[in-house]
Amino acid sequence: MRRLKFTPNRLRFLIVVLLMVGIFFRFFNIDGKVYWHDETFTSLRISGYTANEVRQQIFNGRIITKESFAKFQSTNMEKSLIDTIMSLETEDPQHPPLYYIIARFWVGIFGNSVTAIRSLSAFISLLIFPSIYWLCRELFKASVWVSEVAIALMAISPIHLVYAQEAREYILWIVTILLSSASLLRALRLESKDKAPRILNWGIYAVTLALSLYTFLLSELVVFAHAIYVIATARFKLNRTVKAYLFASLTGFFAFTPWILVVIDNFLQFDSSTAWTKMQFPLEILIKSWLLQLNRIFLDLNFGFENPISYIITPFFLILIGYSIYFICRTTNYKIWLFVLTLIIIPALPLLLPDLIFGGIRSLSERYLLPSYLGIQLAVAYLLTTQLYNESLVRRKIWQTIIGLVIICGLVSYGVSSQAETWWSKVISYGNPQAAKIINQAARPLLISNDSGINYGNIFSLSYLLQSKVQFQLVKDQSIPNIPDEFTDIFLLNPSDSWRKQIEANYKYKSNVVYGDNHYLLWKLENPQSLH
């Protein structure tokens, strides 16, 4: 029976191997996937230009090359760090500035290539490992190996790989959530020690809280989860600990007040830039989306529910997650399971309840549920660690098999992802690699588009994929472009039906769809007189 148990040396070796594999894949082929719509906006903010300035300079009907996009995707002499912050204030107040400030300095040192900008996220993702170790040590205390197993799970979790290779702030948000949670538990633990420096302990929490808020606005939901946890563990009494927590959290919020005022002052722009989250979808799509997102914590092969395999693997992970939550509630002190439950439930409730109550779903992105995923991973890490040393031989063998399957799922996901040129996370830019291949095959191609909807960001995304021979003609709204005769192939990116028909009528062209997906269409204009 002892031979079937993991010895400390074997378990340590396995964890180190998984950690090394996770680190390797975070940097491997980091520029392989399409630099998508939202990432181009990261580069735009780094440059200090606003989208309106871009529209004035290149969406004017003139013929331009891909090089014309460069100055709007990197640091330059014309714009400063203040311009970066101001562009966020006026056009993207839903994105606090911390990540973008760091990214601007990073790009200034390492350059503006896709590899350089994404490597910032990859390096930030390495901070997850000491952060989750600290959090688990504070939460589970004497429980052996939970911290180490949690590191291994994070190292091979596909959802972490997605954001570790994306030029957005979400991986930094994960780190700040872990740090603020760990510092909260530390402050609570040291409250019982009269000689402990209370101001320093709660001051660390206030600082990490402010950092989290300056990374992503939905950190407010994590703070709310912390508040419920502290008040509940104090038996709903306004004692010394609760007062200290309230003072620290209010201090963190006070530090965030300048950006709160920015959001209020630019509320119309905030509401406009987040309008996409209010799109309504049927309840069936809501449920499928939740289940698919839970799968991606452990296995991500870029499948949707149109793939039958998704229906096969979903019950396995659903049972694993459900049993992990049940197990931690049954076997641990209420201060442990309550923290995990509040981290899972509270950040998700404000996002999900309105959808269930009103019978629809907003266009809810999985990134908004990252705090809940962290809580799930804590529960699973505790379950798997505990079952590694189950006294029952049969149960131990079963759980070792399950652990092996979880590891295989993560490694296979990393292997598949590392070779892909696009992924589900690229959303509205998912088809850009295929569209670029079609355009690049033409001898002298011209790509025409306007600044409506998703076209703006996708044009920038395509500029990273298109060859230098491709030229662009970009217009505002539905202006009719003055198309030169020198081009052999003319493409229209995602035009409205009315605008496309106006161009057809004006030039006596016919148009055909050469690529299409759920988000846009690529049309090719042809002169009927040239066809035989």
Side-chain angles (χ1 to χ4, degrees), residues 129-186:
F129 305 130
S131 300
I132 192 64
Y133 182 86
W134 182 23
L135 175 57
C136 288
R137 294 292 291 180
E138 293 290 346
L139 183 61
F140 299 106
K141 297 179 175 63
S143 298
V144 181
W145 292 107
V146 178
S147 301
E148 291 82 356
V149 171
I151 288 176
L153 286 180
M154 297 288 187
I156 59 170
S157 174
I159 198 72
H160 286 272
L161 180 65
V162 166
Y163 295 108
Q165 291 193 330
E166 183 166 294
R168 299 294 278 173
E169 67 265 37
Y170 305 111
I171 201 70
L172 179 61
W173 188 37
I174 292 175
V175 172
T176 61
I177 292 170
L178 293 173
L179 289 176
S180 62
S181 298
S183 60
L184 172 66
L185 294 177
R186 177 181 183 272

Side-chain angles (χ1 to χ4, degrees), residues 18 21 25 152-153 155-159 161 294-303 309 312-314 316-317 320 384 401-417 423:
L18 294 179
V21 169
F25 276 106
L153 286 180
I156 59 170
S157 174
I159 198 72
L161 180 65
L294 291 177
N295 287 347
R296 289 168 178 162
I297 299 175
F298 306 100
L299 177 66
D300 183 8
L301 301 178
N302 202 29
F303 290 160
I309 296 179
I312 298 173
I313 62 177
T314 295
F316 171 77
F317 292 114
L320 175 63
L384 297 183
T401 302
I402 292 174
I403 293 170
L405 290 175
V406 170
I407 292 173
I408 291 172
C409 286
L411 296 180
V412 170
S413 299
Y414 275 32
V416 173
S417 175
W423 209 247

Side-chain angles (χ1 to χ4, degrees), residues 493-505:
L493 178 66
N494 203 34
S496 65
D497 287 339
S498 59
W499 186 43
R500 175 176 55 82
K501 290 176 181 178
Q502 287 177 349
I503 295 175
E504 287 181 355

Side-chain angles (χ1 to χ4, degrees), residues 12-13 33 48 67 90 147 161 166 236 265 331 345 361 364 370 374 376 409 411 437 444 462 469 491 502 506 532:
R12 187 178 293 110
F13 176 77
K33 295 183 182 65
E67 286 72 23
T90 57
S147 301
L161 180 65
E166 183 166 294
F236 300 94
D265 190 48
T331 62
I345 296 173
I361 177 177
L364 184 62
L370 286 173
L374 290 175
I376 289 171
C409 286
L411 296 180
K437 289 177 183 177
R444 293 192 305 277
L462 281 168
K469 66 180 178 180
F491 298 92
Q502 287 177 349
N506 194 71
H532 299 287

Side-chain angles (χ1 to χ4, degrees), residues 315-349:
F316 171 77
F317 292 114
L318 200 58
I319 293 171
L320 175 63
I321 292 170
Y323 185 70
S324 297
I325 295 172
Y326 167 80
F327 184 81
I328 200 170
C329 290
R330 284 293 304 271
T331 62
T332 64
N333 182 281
Y334 78 97
K335 289 186 178 181
I336 296 176
W337 63 255
L338 183 60
F339 181 86
V340 174
L341 280 188
T342 53
L343 188 60
I344 294 173
I345 296 173
I346 302 303
L349 277 182

